[in-house]
Amino acid sequence: MVKIGLQLKATLENVASVQPDEDDFRWYLKLRCANCGDEPDHFQYACGLDTTPVRGGRGHANLVVKCKLCGRENTLDIVENSGRPLTESDIFQTVVAFDCRGLEPTDFSPRIGWACRGTDSDTPFANVDLSEKEWVEYDEKANQSVSPSPPRALFEEAEKGPKALSGPKIKGPIGRLKVCQLLQNT
Ligand SMILES: [Zn+2]
């Protein structure tokens, strides 16, 4: 099992914080099979509310993926209490961690389902779309526009082993940084 942190970086214009709005938030990822290296070109999502049984009585996982090439069944779990809001503008911050068995994420698609809060007023905004174009709302209380930019993303291989599982916070990068497509293209 490998614990991988997803780091995001966005320009936060008059935005105090950005985070998934609800527990049913879907983390859209491209996934590479660690066994055979096959990397399907489509996004698959992991949701903290999904519990799919793993074959052979190996419990449940938030996402179970059977590799089409080698047939291996791989799993991904969202690490409990690993979620952190994005609070700094233009700085990479870890927003969630995944427990990966037999696969690794290679790309992230932010899409919809985010919430943010305005600076100064702390006004909450729901239904924030970070997919492509700039999302802008007007904060009446603070009298300014609120706009988080679509984020860049990278993956960080975090500390392995049971010790890391008990602590909610991801320690600094131990393995190599995995820069995903989103970052490479921008
Ligand atoms: Zn495979």
Side-chain angles (χ1 to χ4, degrees):
M1 186 150 52
V2 182
K3 193 163 150 182
I4 305 232
L6 169 62
Q7 295 194 356
L8 298 181
K9 179 172 107 168
T11 300
L12 306 180
E13 191 189 316
N14 301 321
V15 173
S17 66
V18 184
Q19 62 190 98
D21 197 9
E22 303 279 354
D23 289 342
D24 63 357
F25 183 83
R26 294 176 172 185
W27 299 95
Y28 281 89
L29 303 163
K30 279 187 187 173
L31 301 165
R32 197 179 78 91
C33 176
N35 184 47
C36 72
D38 187 48
E39 187 181 337
D41 198 37
H42 60 273
F43 285 95
Q44 305 178 70
Y45 70 83
C47 173
L49 299 183
D50 288 347
T51 48
T52 307
V54 183
R55 208 175 44 182
R58 290 183 291 146
H60 293 73
N62 294 141
L63 177 62
V64 178
V65 182
K66 188 172 181 185
C67 177
K68 286 205 169 69
L69 202 63
C70 73
R72 182 100 44 117
E73 199 172 64
N74 302 320
T75 66
L76 181 144
D77 271 303
I78 296 163
V79 177
E80 222 173 313
N81 300 320
S82 69
R84 293 281 180 278
L86 195 60
T87 54
E88 304 280 346
S89 188
D90 297 314
I91 292 175
F92 275 108
Q93 286 182 277
T94 303
V95 294
V96 72
F98 305 115
D99 269 334
C100 301
R101 282 179 195 267
L103 53 75
E104 60 177 358
T106 58
D107 200 358
F108 168 67
S109 176
R111 304 195 184 192
I112 55 170
W114 299 87
C116 74
R117 287 185 172 273
T119 46
D120 305 335
S121 69
D122 203 35
T123 306
F125 297 91
N127 302 318
V128 178
D129 182 343
L130 296 181
S131 52
E132 271 176 33
K133 288 176 192 158
E134 222 181 5
W135 184 93
V136 184
E137 272 284 347
Y138 196 70
D139 187 341
E140 306 269 350
K141 256 199 223 165
N143 206 25
Q144 57 195 9
S145 59
V146 169
S147 178
S149 74
R152 294 171 167 200
L154 62 79
F155 296 103
E156 168 201 45
E157 195 168 322
E159 202 177 344
K160 298 175 189 175
K163 216 174 184 182
L165 293 178
S166 59
K169 208 168 177 194
I170 295 180
K171 304 240 167 75
I174 286 178
R176 69 215 147 96
L177 286 176
K178 291 172 186 164
V179 181
C180 78
Q181 298 290 333
L182 257 179
L183 181 60
Q184 289 166 345
N185 292 342
T186 44

